[in-house]
Amino acid sequence: MSSGTAVADTNWAKLRKRLGDRLVLPQDAGYDQLRLPYNHVYANRRPAAIARCVSPQDVQACLDFASHERIPIAARSGKHSYAGYSVPEHGLVADLGGMADVRVDGSSARVGAGARLIDVYEGIGGAGRALPAGSCGTVGIGGLTLGGGIGVIGRKYGLTCDHLTSARIVTPDGCHRTVSAHEEPDLFWALRGGGGGNFGIVTSFTFRTDPAPDLAVFSLQYPAGATADVFDAWQEWIATTPDELWSGCGITATGALSTIGFDGTYVGQAKDLHRLLDRMPPGGERTVREMTYLEAMRFFAGPADDPGTAFVASSRMLRHRVRGKRIAELVDGQRDGFLQLDSWGGALSRV
Ligand SMILES: Cc1cc2nc3c(=O)[nH]c(=O)nc-3n(C[C@H](O)[C@H](O)[C@H](O)COP(=O)(O)OP(=O)(O)OC[C@H]3O[C@@H](n4cnc5c(N)ncnc54)[C@H](O)[C@@H]3O)c2cc1C
């Protein structure tokens, strides 16, 4: 979201009057730590200020200020933007980390826009409910929901944004609105996959949840040299597996022959998952564990204090099969690199 060009003589005192020490400027203690994005490729970005918002009124103050001073502004939820979009150079960061409440009320959950996925899972899963969302626990609910939200129970339950029933958003005119299928339906439509930072700053999301299912989580790892054949077999396999099964394929460069392996979840019992896995090629090392929904989300989440790393990544949808031989040729002999392919379909395709 851009309101114009940054100017050196921006009147920060005006915003500081409204936010106090929640406004952090480059000369303030903690600025350097606070500005860091997850992707360290953008670690040298220096926003003009970071506003640690704790209420919709703070967000309104930021948008109002950015619009009057004509400086760029970006919302920041979990900082995981691949391209550093939540840290605008010379702009204002509206950091939503202080708006991370998760409240469950029956089958509905209201989540502050700065919550990290692990907090969402603890809150919703802890209440015996489930929301399909991403795996990495430090990703923010803000960028994830606005971009769609894919995860390990998505084939059974759909995208995160499919479960959004309403959102509270501050639009660029400064209004704090509720959007839903009945109020501002066009804006509601745009928030379900239209991407972060395009239509205003969402302050909270309300989701429809499901009863938390029991899951079986698996790993299946093959020795080096099996990539081409196993990849072909996996593509055959996923075309016939039920919605309850999600699997992700990881192909890792080793400098010589690549390795191929799979992680996945099954909504159901281990014995039924074993029957499905028996149809994959022999020779893989298999582990299967039954877990509650919350245990499984913690398992996939990774460390809660993940400081981030430098990376370049991009994603594509493959709509047709790819020959395993071609995939192996791409990765075999490479010193570095990782190819991740997720199996979609199911509820994700039925929207
Ligand atoms: C390690 C890693 C693992 C990932 N795993 C998954 C996964 O399992 N599933 C999946 O679907 N995606 C995954 N992603 C992609 C992730 O969903 C996107 O990168 C997402 O945009 C990150 O959201 P964020 O809030 O953490 O990032 P931020 O950098 O805070 O925000 C991303 C964008 O959204 C905007 N934005 C954030 N909050 C708001 C708001 N409240 N209102 C308006 N705009 C907002 C920001 O301005 C920015 O443009 C992963 C990314 C990484 C780096």
Side-chain angles (χ1 to χ4, degrees):
M1 200 183 299
S2 172
S3 308
T5 316
V7 283
D9 57 353
T10 302
N11 184 7
W12 292 107
K14 214 165 82 184
L15 189 57
R16 175 149 275 168
K17 208 165 156 195
R18 292 170 77 167
L19 300 182
D21 61 8
R22 295 199 301 285
L23 183 71
V24 180
L25 299 172
Q27 63 272 24
D28 293 333
Y31 167 85
D32 271 322
Q33 188 56 32
L34 208 54
R35 74 183 168 83
L36 275 187
Y38 181 86
N39 188 351
H40 294 179
V41 165
Y42 304 98
N44 57 352
R45 290 260 178 94
R46 295 188 66 80
I50 301 159
R52 291 181 302 178
C53 300
V54 296
S55 67
Q57 291 72 31
D58 284 356
V59 174
Q60 282 175 308
C62 288
L63 268 169
D64 183 44
F65 180 80
S67 144
H68 276 95
E69 298 286 331
R70 301 194 61 72
I71 55 167
I73 178 170
R76 190 169 75 177
S77 175
K79 312 180 183 180
H80 277 58
S81 168
Y82 280 14
Y85 289 155
S86 51
V87 193
E89 181 77 3
H90 306 312
L92 172 61
V93 176
D95 185 285
L96 306 169
M99 300 168 68
D101 272 10
V102 179
R103 290 198 191 148
V104 180
D105 182 11
S107 62
S108 179
R110 187 180 169 126
V111 179
R116 301 172 314 158
L117 294 188
I118 191 61
D119 305 321
V120 175
Y121 290 134
E122 293 293 341
I124 293 178
R129 307 292 301 179
L131 176 72
S135 39
C136 175
T138 49
V139 166
I141 195 71
L144 179 112
T145 304
L146 297 170
I150 53 178
V152 300
I153 55 171
R155 271 172 57 89
K156 174 75 177 163
Y157 293 95
L159 295 170
T160 311
C161 70
D162 296 337
H163 288 245
L164 189 68
T165 54
S166 70
R168 296 278 287 155
I169 180 170
V170 180
T171 42
D173 59 4
C175 285
H176 192 211
R177 303 163 192 272
T178 300
V179 298
S180 68
H182 310 292
E183 295 166 89
E184 313 269 4
D186 289 346
L187 186 51
F188 181 61
W189 180 86
L191 295 185
R192 288 176 297 150
N198 291 325
F199 305 103
I201 299 183
V202 175
T203 57
S204 67
F205 300 93
T206 300
F207 297 104
R208 166 177 59 80
T209 65
D210 291 286
D214 284 333
L215 304 172
V217 172
F218 76 91
S219 160
L220 182 60
Q221 306 298 325
Y222 288 85
T227 298
D229 290 344
V230 172
F231 186 73
D232 283 337
W234 178 64
Q235 290 180 94
E236 295 278 337
W237 185 65
I238 55 177
T240 63
T241 50
D243 293 358
E244 281 72 15
L245 185 94
W246 167 82
S247 62
C249 166
I251 300 171
T252 309
T254 65
L257 292 175
S258 57
T259 59
I260 185 166
F262 306 88
D263 289 318
T265 48
Y266 179 72
V267 181
Q269 296 180 343
K271 64 178 172 49
D272 298 320
L273 172 59
H274 274 298
R275 253 181 242 127
L276 292 168
L277 289 170
D278 286 344
R279 289 171 18 207
M280 280 291 282
E285 194 180 318
R286 183 195 301 185
T287 55
V288 171
R289 283 170 61 193
E290 288 188 339
M291 297 186 191
T292 65
Y293 164 77
L294 182 53
E295 285 167 348
M297 295 308 110
R298 286 178 184 150
F299 173 79
F300 284 109
D305 56 355
D306 181 356
T309 182
F311 66 92
V312 177
S314 72
S315 307
R316 296 281 180 279
M317 297 293 284
L318 290 177
R319 294 174 189 280
H320 53 83
R321 289 188 193 180
V322 181
R323 284 170 53 213
K325 192 164 168 285
R326 300 294 298 275
I327 292 283
E329 281 168 2
L330 202 66
V331 189
D332 284 351
Q334 300 290 335
R335 269 190 305 128
D336 213 2
F338 181 69
L339 207 55
Q340 179 179 337
L341 295 109
D342 291 335
S343 59
W344 297 122
L348 298 165
S349 312
R350 286 196 289 271
V351 177

